[in-house]
Amino acid sequence: MKQKQVNPTAKESEYNGILKYIGIFGGVQGIVSLITLLRASIVSHLLGPVGVGFNDVYNRTIDLGKKATDLGISYSAVQVISERSEESEEQAHMMYAVKVVRSWSLWLATLGTLLFFLIAPLLSRWGFDGDHSYTPMFRLLSLTIGCSVIMGGELAVLKGTRRLARLAWYQLTSAALVLAVAVPCYYLWGINGIVPSLLLSAISLLAVACWHSFKVFPYQVEPFSRKVIIDGAYIISKGFSYTLAGLLNSGAYYLISIYIFSHDNAAEVGCYSYGMLFISYLSMLAFAVLDNDFFPRLSAVNKDKERCRQLINNQIEILTVLITPLIISFAIFLPLITRLLLAPKFMPLVVMTQIGVVGLFFKAMMHPPAYLSLSKGESLIFLLQEALSYTFMAGVMIAGFKFSGLKGLGFGLLLSNVFDWLTIWIITTLRYQFKYSSRVWKIFCT
């Protein structure tokens, strides 16, 4: 069979487009990371590893609650809006799709807030090794669930309509706001300032997201409209498996945190949390473009197998070339970075992070093809990928901590990334006939 030829000019344009958006979001994430690292540095001195450990348990619980509440609308809405924006340029058509997403987000936010408030005693017992005294704190934090769900809907609107400049500005302003909110809270109240900081930060982030989204699409909802509810049910049905996948994601990290905490290691939870934070910052520098630009573009052409393969391979080529020197530089200078930014008690995170960060190379090979199932709306395949990934990750990282402490966590993280790459490679080859290009294999082997 004659192979389809790729226009060199089109391919060059594709590379330029990828580099453009990596430049935009990579630059933005660089600034965001610097702001967040500044906050992490200040917080490490104000709270210490124990305080950071408590903060991590709260954050993991909130994330788990948010994933259980939004029913995947923050992901499925991006695909639906993106597809409709390709099919029709009519403003009225787009406004209706946005109205449906916002109406459902409002309902889900309300229900999620109430549910989180009611189960606060259970969350306190699970998160803090049987201690019920944190129930009032979790009840206050129930408001963050509603804020997060509504914010997820507004960001989905911006991603689906590819308002990339506004997304970039959102990321910058939100990072600055969280810094401005968190530091005074921790300075004034120490560990007792964690809950006020999380609550005020959630409100601030929601306000910024709404400001950018409302500028593009004025706020309209019809939460009691039968048509809106029925049409929104389609988006929710597409997002059901994403919800389960999100629960697996949050649940895995939650289990790891509370397992360490339950062994009287709140300080080690803090070191683990900041080690993962460093890795996530480095990851965001390279991978921020995937959610904001790559996924909408892949969704728009998801029915064209050859076009999907080309988009994915081009994305991998650039990601792997960019991430490799970042990983090497980061691993070399991490001891110095840790000494400069964090309190001395956080130095145990260095070895764990140096080992774990190597996994980002395999993530660069795995992440773009992992979006295939999402772009095609094949939620069961996506759920299978996520179930395998997070089940393996939780098991291997807990086992690693049990046998070798923080160092074992690093090896567990590295092994989980290798496992993810192999799993995604097998699934996308069998299901979508995806193949890595010869250029990608050359980069991988060298």
Side-chain angles (χ1 to χ4, degrees), residues 29-227:
Q29 285 300 331
I31 298 171
V32 169
S33 295
L34 288 175
I35 295 172
T36 315
L37 284 173
L38 175 61
R39 175 167 61 90
S41 176
I42 297 171
V43 171
S44 76
H45 289 85
L46 294 176
L47 296 185
V50 173
V52 173
F54 274 82
N55 185 60
D56 185 72
V57 172
Y58 280 128
N59 269 311
R60 298 297 183 192
T61 308
I62 291 169
D63 190 50
L64 187 62
K66 189 258 180 183
K67 296 286 177 60
T69 299
D70 77 352
L71 299 184
I73 198 169
S74 58
Y75 292 98
S76 54
V78 174
Q79 183 192 8
V80 171
I81 293 173
S82 179
E83 286 179 343
R84 291 185 181 179
S85 67
E86 287 286 323
E87 293 167 1
S88 174
E89 296 295 329
E90 296 178 12
Q91 186 73 6
H93 181 84
M94 287 303 306
M95 281 295 296
Y96 178 73
V98 171
K99 184 193 296 182
V100 171
V101 171
R102 285 173 169 168
S103 298
W104 269 87
S105 294
L106 184 60
W107 272 117
L108 295 172
T110 303
L111 294 173
T113 300
L114 291 174
L115 179 61
F116 199 90
F117 183 89
L118 292 173
I119 66 170
L122 291 175
L123 297 173
S124 177
R125 189 178 70 183
W126 294 337
F128 294 102
D129 201 22
D131 191 342
H132 286 84
S133 64
Y134 295 92
T135 298
M137 304 299 185
F138 281 108
R139 283 182 170 155
L140 279 174
L141 291 173
S142 64
L143 294 173
T144 66
I145 302 298
C147 291
S148 297
V149 173
I150 295 175
M151 180 182 69
E154 298 304 323
L155 294 180
V157 170
L158 294 177
K159 290 176 183 178
T161 55
R162 301 192 69 201
R163 299 304 200 273
L164 303 181
R166 289 196 174 275
L167 281 169
W169 276 111
Y170 163 78
Q171 292 172 350
L172 283 172
T173 51
S174 62
L177 272 174
V178 172
L179 173 66
V181 167
V183 172
C185 288
Y186 297 144
Y187 179 77
L188 292 173
W189 303 306
I191 290 180
N192 293 328
I194 292 174
V195 172
S197 170
L198 292 172
L199 182 56
L200 292 173
S201 294
I203 295 170
S204 301
L205 293 177
L206 173 61
V208 174
C210 289
W211 188 86
H212 284 287
S213 181
F214 293 176
K215 287 282 187 179
V216 181
F217 297 100
Y219 190 69
Q220 293 181 8
V221 292
E222 291 184 20
F224 301 104
S225 166
R226 187 168 180 269
K227 187 176 187 309

Side-chain angles (χ1 to χ4, degrees), residues 4-51:
K4 184 178 179 180
Q5 297 296 315
V6 178
N7 186 331
T9 304
K11 187 169 183 178
E12 183 179 346
S13 176
E14 183 71 43
Y15 282 128
N16 290 337
I18 295 171
L19 286 170
K20 173 186 174 183
Y21 290 115
I22 286 179
I24 292 172
F25 287 101
V28 168
Q29 285 300 331
I31 298 171
V32 169
S33 295
L34 288 175
I35 295 172
T36 315
L37 284 173
L38 175 61
R39 175 167 61 90
S41 176
I42 297 171
V43 171
S44 76
H45 289 85
L46 294 176
L47 296 185
V50 173

Side-chain angles (χ1 to χ4, degrees), residues 284-438:
M284 285 189 294
L285 288 174
F287 301 140
V289 71
L290 294 181
D291 277 340
N292 296 319
D293 173 62
F294 175 70
F295 176 47
R297 284 191 296 121
L298 191 64
S299 296
V301 298
N302 71 82
K303 295 179 177 64
D304 186 336
K305 186 185 298 184
E306 188 60 36
R307 182 66 176 137
C308 286
R309 186 182 301 166
Q310 180 188 342
L311 277 174
I312 291 169
N313 277 299
N314 290 349
Q315 194 78 45
I316 293 172
E317 286 180 36
I318 293 177
L319 284 178
T320 49
V321 169
L322 287 176
I323 199 70
T324 303
L326 286 176
I327 291 171
I328 295 170
S329 301
F330 179 80
I332 292 172
F333 292 106
L334 182 60
L336 178 61
I337 293 170
T338 307
R339 288 192 191 93
L340 290 175
L341 292 179
L342 304 181
K345 291 182 179 179
F346 284 90
M347 287 303 295
L349 67 81
V350 171
V351 175
M352 179 202 95
T353 311
Q354 286 175 323
I355 296 169
V357 76
V358 178
L360 292 183
F361 180 79
F362 295 95
K363 188 175 181 179
M365 292 287 293
M366 172 273 295
H367 222 42
Y371 277 84
L372 266 173
S373 58
L374 277 173
S375 69
K376 294 178 181 294
E378 295 191 350
S379 54
L380 290 179
I381 300 296
F382 172 72
L383 180 59
L384 173 63
Q385 295 172 184
E386 298 295 283
L388 291 171
S389 171
Y390 292 114
T391 301
F392 183 85
M393 184 192 75
V396 76
M397 289 187 72
I398 288 173
F401 177 78
K402 182 178 179 180
F403 290 106
S404 192
L406 290 172
K407 183 179 180 180
L409 285 173
F411 278 113
L413 184 61
L414 172 57
L415 286 174
S416 69
N417 276 292
V418 175
F419 175 82
D420 287 350
W421 169 58
L422 292 173
T423 303
I424 295 298
W425 181 17
I426 292 169
I427 290 174
T428 54
T429 299
L430 294 177
R431 178 66 180 174
Y432 307 114
Q433 293 76 53
F434 170 75
K435 294 180 181 178
Y436 289 112
S437 68
S438 58

